[in-house]
Amino acid sequence: MICWGESCRNQDPGFFCRLATRGVRQPVWVVSDARRLSDIQWFQSKFPNQTHNIRIQCSEETRAQRGWSFTPGVDDAESECGLDSGVEFDWLITNEAEALPLDEQLQPILKLAEEAASSVTHC
């Protein structure tokens, strides 16, 4: 499956993005699992004013405490770390015990989504 997906992306970096958005007319989309710079670039080129990048992060120590352990060939693959550099994030959400509560961190994002949804004229 991964080889097939990589083959599709190599031929057409926007292949899966186009499939995911075909026929969709919602005022707000949440793409929860973009994994490659080409995905971000596609959305930015097609929806430059609407695309906002959010990164959810925590330390490797916290991840390890939650049961994660590094697996060579998996955790260093583009599908796992392709967005670790080269992306400007509009918001960083911190998933750590000592971080601000999630609802506080999400407030500016939710406000933006509410504004986008309310600006759509309904027939």
Side-chain angles (χ1 to χ4, degrees):
M1 184 72 163
I2 290 174
C3 292
W4 173 77
E6 293 301 325
S7 173
C8 291
R9 278 186 187 85
N10 289 337
Q11 292 175 28
D12 177 5
F15 179 79
F16 292 106
C17 296
R18 260 193 314 288
L19 285 177
T21 59
R22 185 178 7 177
V24 177
R25 301 283 181 248
Q26 302 302 320
V28 175
W29 303 348
V30 175
V31 179
S32 62
D33 200 17
R35 292 180 172 249
R36 290 167 177 78
L37 187 55
S38 61
D39 295 339
I40 301 292
Q41 291 169 335
W42 187 88
F43 278 99
Q44 288 174 330
S45 71
K46 300 298 180 191
F47 308 99
N49 298 322
Q50 296 91 345
T51 300
H52 301 278
N53 298 315
I54 304 164
R55 182 178 182 95
I56 301 170
Q57 62 186 11
C58 68
S59 67
E60 286 193 18
E61 178 183 331
T62 295
R63 294 171 73 194
Q65 289 171 354
R66 294 174 180 165
W68 173 81
S69 63
F70 181 82
T71 303
V74 174
D75 292 315
D76 52 1
E78 182 184 14
S79 64
E80 299 303 315
C81 58
L83 300 178
D84 287 350
S85 62
V87 178
E88 185 174 319
F89 291 97
D90 300 294
W91 290 284
L92 296 175
I93 302 296
T94 303
N95 187 3
E96 300 277 356
E98 69 278 354
L100 288 174
L102 182 59
D103 59 340
E104 286 182 39
Q105 294 186 68
L106 291 176
Q107 281 308 306
I109 301 164
L110 295 172
K111 182 179 181 204
L112 182 69
E114 287 172 0
E115 290 170 357
S118 68
S119 70
V120 175
T121 305
H122 299 284
C123 298

